[in-house]
Amino acid sequence: MLRQYELVDRVLAYDPQADEAALNRAYVFGTRKHGTQKRASGDPYFSHPIEVAGILTEMRLDTATIITGLLHDTIEDTDTTVSEIEEGFGKEIASLVDGVTKLSKLEWDSEHAKQAENFRKFLLAMSSDIRVLLVKLADRLHNMRTLHFIKKPEKRQRIAQETMDIYAPLAGRMGMQEIREELEDLSFQVLQPEARETLVKRLDQIREERSDIVDRITDMLRETFAAQDIEVQVYGREKKPYSVWRKMERRSISLEQLSDIYGFRVIVDTEADCYKAVGVLHTKWPMVPGRFKDYISTPKNNGYRSIHTTIIGPERKRVEVQIRTRKMHEVAEYGIAAHWFYKDRGDQAESSAEFSNTFKWLRHLVEMLEHGSTAEELLEHSKLQLFTDQVFCFTPKGMLITLPRGATPIDFAYAVHTDIGDTCVGCKINGRHMPLRTQLKNGDEVEIIRSKAQTPSPTWESFVATGKARSAIRRAARLTHQMELAHLGRLMVTSMFELAGKNVSDSVLERAVGRFNKKDVTELLADVGEGGIAAQDVLKAAYPRIRKIKDAEKANSGRVVTSSESSDKLMVKLDRRLSHGGVRYAEGTFPLPGDRIVGILTPGMGVTIYPIDSEQLAQFDGELERWIDVQWDVNEEDDVRFLARITLTVRNEVGALGAIATLIADYDGNIDALSTPQRDRDFYSLQIDLEVRDLKHLTSIMNALRGLSMVNSVIRG
């Protein structure tokens, strides 16, 4: 455990202007508040916040963050209040400690909805000040280092899994690679102990066989650069077991086939020296094709900048080399934590530019919250962003767009601007028209073709790779669905008001908005269309003293109409598929224009359409208030097709199926699906789903089929 003076000296070593008195006060305050509390290891509890503060000093964070580390458990685990911390250490530190406390109280578990909601709270807490997350990461890192003291295996598993799922990826997303790697490896040790132990033993054997290989390669690299008068620092290291394991899994290779278990870092003075160093390496040793990445000209989203290359280097060994400047190295080591280091040194503008992409990711998440995305969508979007590699594409004007691997032009369009994504109808990739589902590659130039009449297609969701695109597509689908429900609700309300002899308008309907606690008339009507609110209840809310309400209810309680009856009934326009907004066909039924139909209102689902002779309607006999009068609304000039199902008994002879298919085509029908539920030596049954215009069209096809010599019978259904 760090002593008080050791902690203070650490901070003063990188920040001579630090408030030494405040650090000493916080150390004493925390010690006194935690008193005799013990950890699972048996150590004094205050050893934990001291170690957390020590980890934060390794990131060279500001005084306020170090003090927050010392006090981060006082509100949760002692009688300390936020106002007490504010009085002793100021509003900024009190706010930080309170933010970390809120994060600590979140319970992560396997229940998806609960985990998603907690992740939403997590993001809200850390979005106010990213230092809250940095303290929480340091807290989690020390807890993982001491996880073996927890006796219950299931608790260790839960903590390790949430670290692997949430905290390690977040550390990586914030550019803090060292912390990410340690969190992953500590989790790996708990989640897959046997695999890690086997891997560690094999790595130990390799280390013994190549005992001085890292030193030899390091010396050769130094000598090579010195000969070219390039001043460098070279570091070699063995990769963490989990990092090695992940590469083996990703490439589906064995440890013996994995050549780059050692990594070398070359630190130079300037950006120009980075490219000189690459030239020296590639001149002396051959480069491995496909293993060169320039993250200096195209930085990663977390601010990481470096050049990566793999060469067939000294002793014919594959050597992975990362080349960067000292500042790039600090950013790679400390990630977003380096922002405060540069800010406190006075490099405010440079610091803001360096880390703008990192903050942009967080801003996108907050933007999703503001647009009403669900907690589950937010969690999904975050995981998509946390666990993906990148491709770099360009607009026709040369603007760089960074996307996850597997992204398509739809992702590109939404990355440029939401409006461009919403109105996208096509694209050109490198000057050629290409499908919107084309996966983009590094260096592609993408031009988006737009139309103001376009709206996002729900099918886009199946091939987009970014959470931003997926969220926008779902938002548009929800809006479209709500408008369809609102249209249906307006038809139902209008029908009810007319039956009661009352005029309906938005100004009249506004009387009912407050009664049902809705935002506006559209939301009210959508709820009616979905079945959450009865149309007669809206009528009662708008006209509390109405006398004809019983007549209206009676008129709506199950009387079925056809197109020849009164037009003052609910009109529902149905298409050939099984759902349309808040209207859908009952499962296993295939009504057609010409059939008598009835609608059943189901709360949360809208209206389900049944043929009037459906046996399923018997279950609603006691709920006449749910019965809705509906009519077909089909324009004969439109070639709208509907699904119908017929079953044939066919003699088993050569050419029978061909004759049936030909007849259906000649009668302007289309086979949507075909199956043979039953088959024997002489006869087989043939079930066909047809696309037809109406009942008359289906009847003509069935009559013609009955005339074929090989067809024994034709029935509908």
Side-chain angles (χ1 to χ4, degrees), residues 63 144 151 175 282 310 331 379 400 411 415 442 604 668 679 688:
T63 305
M144 288 301 296
K151 294 180 181 179
H282 289 182
T310 301
V331 173
L379 180 62
L400 175 67
D411 296 294
N442 271 321
D668 195 25
R679 188 183 186 97
I688 303 176

Side-chain angles (χ1 to χ4, degrees), residues 404-425:
R405 195 164 300 281
T408 64
I410 297 294
D411 296 294
F412 183 93
Y414 278 109
V416 176
H417 197 280
T418 302
D419 289 344
I420 294 177
D422 286 345
T423 55
C424 173
V425 292

Side-chain angles (χ1 to χ4, degrees), residues 364-382 384-385 410-411 414 418 422 456-457 460-461 464-479:
H364 282 164
L365 292 179
V366 176
E367 187 180 310
M368 284 184 67
L369 290 173
E370 292 171 349
H371 279 90
S373 295
T374 66
E376 288 87 348
E377 287 176 4
L378 188 68
L379 180 62
E380 179 185 19
H381 167 71
S382 303
L384 283 170
Q385 293 296 318
I410 297 294
D411 296 294
Y414 278 109
T418 302
D422 286 345
S457 168
W460 290 355
E461 191 180 341
V464 295
T466 60
K468 183 177 182 181
R470 190 160 295 173
S471 175
I473 293 164
R474 288 176 180 174
R475 188 164 59 244
R478 283 196 298 268
L479 181 61

Side-chain angles (χ1 to χ4, degrees), residues 293-308:
K293 295 177 182 176
D294 184 355
Y295 294 121
I296 292 179
S297 62
T298 51
K300 288 188 176 184
N301 280 342
N302 58 13
Y304 177 86
R305 301 178 74 210
S306 187
I307 292 175
H308 292 194

Side-chain angles (χ1 to χ4, degrees), residues 49-157:
I50 290 174
E51 292 301 325
V52 169
I55 293 169
L56 295 170
T57 63
E58 293 170 9
M59 303 181 205
R60 297 190 291 181
L61 285 164
D62 61 330
T63 305
T65 311
I66 305 301
I67 292 175
T68 302
L70 289 168
L71 306 180
H72 77 273
D73 276 337
T74 52
I75 295 177
E76 184 178 0
D77 294 328
T78 74
D79 60 358
T80 308
T81 62
V82 176
S83 58
E84 190 176 354
I85 292 178
E86 184 175 345
E87 185 179 340
F89 300 95
K91 190 171 184 179
E92 179 187 20
I93 291 172
S95 176
L96 288 171
V97 174
D98 187 40
V100 178
T101 302
K102 288 175 180 176
L103 295 194
S104 300
K105 288 181 178 178
L106 294 179
E107 292 290 336
W108 303 93
D109 59 22
S110 58
E111 187 183 340
H112 184 70
K114 186 176 180 182
Q115 186 187 54
E117 177 59 25
N118 282 336
F119 192 73
R120 185 186 70 83
K121 294 175 184 175
F122 180 97
L123 291 169
L124 283 172
M126 79 177 189
S127 65
S128 59
D129 195 323
I130 200 66
R131 289 174 294 178
V132 169
L133 174 62
L134 300 182
V135 176
K136 189 61 186 172
L137 286 174
D139 173 44
R140 177 50 60 112
L141 179 57
H142 185 252
N143 282 334
M144 288 301 296
R145 288 172 177 174
T146 57
L147 188 63
H148 57 280
F149 288 112
I150 293 178
K151 294 180 181 179
K152 294 182 178 180
E154 61 273 15
K155 187 174 182 181
R156 292 198 302 271
Q157 287 272 334

